[in-house]
Amino acid sequence: MEKRSKAFKSMDMLYLAMIILPVVCAVALKVLTQPPSDGIEITGALIYFVIDMPIQKLYITEAQINSWLVLISLFGLCLFLTHGLDVRNTTYRQRVAEWIVEKTESLVKDNMGEYFKGFAPFIGAIMALSAFSSLLSLFGLFPPTSDLNIVAGWAIVVFILITYYKMKCGPLNYLKSFCEPVALLAPINVVSEIATPISMSFRHYGNILSGTVISTLLAAGLTGLSQFVLGWIPVIGDLALLRIGLPAILSIYFDVFSGCLQAFIFAMLTMVYVSGGFDMDLYFRKHPEKADDYEEYIGDYGDYSETYEDYIDSY
């Protein structure tokens, strides 16, 4: 029992190291590679190295490295929370893990329906990755969500899921949807379809980046104001006293609240677009045999024993 307890604690220490060390490595890497600057500089992610590829060069940037480090930290957090699960003797971290799972499943069920209950892990991963990536700015690191390439990658994955569920009723039905309510609106509907991942990307990226820019400019402005007002006082004039307090308060909003809010909004848009693009009524009428596992849906929307041809003829 004692050996098992020591092994259990050793694994806990390993998981905690997986959570903390990636952030420490990111800070150390930034300190070692960040070029010195005399004033404020608002630039994109630092490029570490470039890999020559057949089509174009692959740039390995600060955003990509930090994204992988966030993934490692989240993986360690999941292992830590689920380590030592017990049906009878539940621990506080097990209760936290169960609470996260229950709330995520409830969120997905309320916004997407019972059919999409399997989306809970994906939605939870999207929210966690986005929120923790934005929170890296609290450590003075470049948040991956401030890089359009990172967020655009997430949006493209979501767009593929949206298209997949729109085509579950058949490619012809998908193409037909562009002509609704009238065929003249087809070009607008096509543009609207393409604009979905673009709007998701720029909404998330723009909000996080703007918060970082505003915080940086405000901190620099308060530093200059402090030197202008208190510069005549020996010793104290060299300290940016006016910079104390206000940037920290704004950081709570821009780095914490806004970062978590944008993660929630991105997840909500994902759920709305995927479930909204899936014509479940038509799908079950085309495949009535697949509706047997969804008695709750059948109870709400009627009997799907009629054939798809009968359904079409009724219109």
Side-chain angles (χ1 to χ4, degrees):
M1 190 70 178
E2 182 180 356
K3 292 182 179 179
R4 183 179 179 182
S5 178
K6 289 182 178 179
F8 187 87
K9 292 180 180 179
S10 298
M11 293 302 298
D12 272 354
M13 295 300 296
L14 176 62
Y15 297 149
L16 288 174
M18 289 181 63
I19 299 173
I20 299 173
L21 285 181
V23 179
V24 175
C25 292
V27 173
L29 186 63
K30 184 178 182 64
V31 171
L32 294 175
T33 58
Q34 184 70 37
S37 60
D38 296 331
I40 62 169
E41 290 185 1
I42 301 176
T43 60
L46 181 66
I47 299 176
Y48 289 128
F49 56 91
V50 181
I51 301 177
D52 291 329
M53 302 294 287
I55 300 178
Q56 64 178 23
K57 294 181 178 180
L58 175 62
Y59 293 89
I60 305 301
T61 67
E62 190 177 7
Q64 293 170 309
I65 298 299
N66 288 350
S67 293
W68 280 103
L69 294 176
V70 169
L71 288 174
I72 295 174
S73 293
L74 287 175
F75 182 53
L77 178 61
C78 292
L79 292 176
F80 177 77
L81 291 177
T82 57
H83 186 214
L85 296 179
D86 197 323
V87 177
R88 297 179 179 178
N89 302 319
T90 60
T91 60
Y92 286 110
R93 58 178 164 181
Q94 179 175 338
R95 294 169 192 170
V96 171
E98 291 175 352
W99 180 83
I100 294 174
V101 172
E102 291 174 358
K103 291 299 181 182
T104 305
E105 290 181 345
S106 177
L107 180 67
V108 172
K109 183 178 179 180
D110 292 342
N111 290 278
M112 302 184 75
E114 186 70 24
Y115 182 84
F116 292 95
K117 60 184 180 180
F119 260 70
F122 177 74
I123 297 300
I126 283 288
M127 285 195 293
L129 180 58
S130 176
F132 279 82
S133 295
S134 299
L135 291 176
L136 283 184
S137 58
L138 294 173
F139 301 95
L141 300 173
F142 182 87
T145 44
S146 292
D147 191 327
L148 181 59
N149 299 295
I150 299 295
V151 185
W154 303 347
I156 291 173
V157 172
V158 173
F159 181 69
I160 293 174
L161 289 174
I162 296 172
T163 306
Y164 169 76
Y165 278 96
K166 283 186 176 182
M167 295 188 68
K168 282 181 74 71
C169 295
L172 293 179
N173 184 75
Y174 173 70
L175 295 176
K176 180 183 175 182
S177 64
F178 290 106
C179 299
E180 296 176 352
V182 292
L184 292 176
L185 295 179
I188 298 178
N189 290 332
V190 172
V191 173
S192 177
E193 188 80 0
I194 299 175
T196 297
I198 297 176
S199 64
M200 292 183 68
S201 304
F202 277 95
R203 180 185 291 107
H204 198 316
Y205 154 78
N207 280 280
I208 300 301
L209 179 62
S210 62
T212 303
V213 172
I214 292 173
S215 298
T216 303
L217 292 176
L218 181 64
L222 289 175
T223 300
L225 181 62
S226 179
Q227 294 176 352
F228 177 77
V229 175
L230 305 175
W232 58 275
I233 303 177
V235 181
I236 296 180
D238 297 331
L239 302 176
L241 295 179
L242 297 181
R243 189 173 173 176
I244 300 175
L246 184 57
I249 296 175
L250 291 178
S251 178
I252 296 176
Y253 174 79
F254 288 119
D255 296 330
V256 180
F257 176 76
S258 181
C260 295
L261 178 63
Q262 293 306 317
F264 177 76
I265 292 175
F266 192 90
M268 287 295 297
L269 290 175
T270 299
M271 291 186 287
V272 170
Y273 285 142
V274 172
S275 61
F278 179 47
D279 192 341
M280 191 179 298
D281 188 17
L282 178 59
Y283 177 74
F284 281 152
R285 292 185 185 279
K286 289 182 65 175
H287 306 281
E289 72 283 357
K290 295 182 180 293
D292 296 337
D293 297 332
Y294 304 100
E295 296 180 358
E296 179 180 351
Y297 183 84
I298 295 175
D300 293 338
Y301 290 90
D303 185 10
Y304 287 91
S305 59
E306 62 175 323
T307 64
Y308 175 63
E309 288 74 13
D310 294 336
Y311 170 73
I312 295 298
D313 292 339
S314 64
Y315 284 84

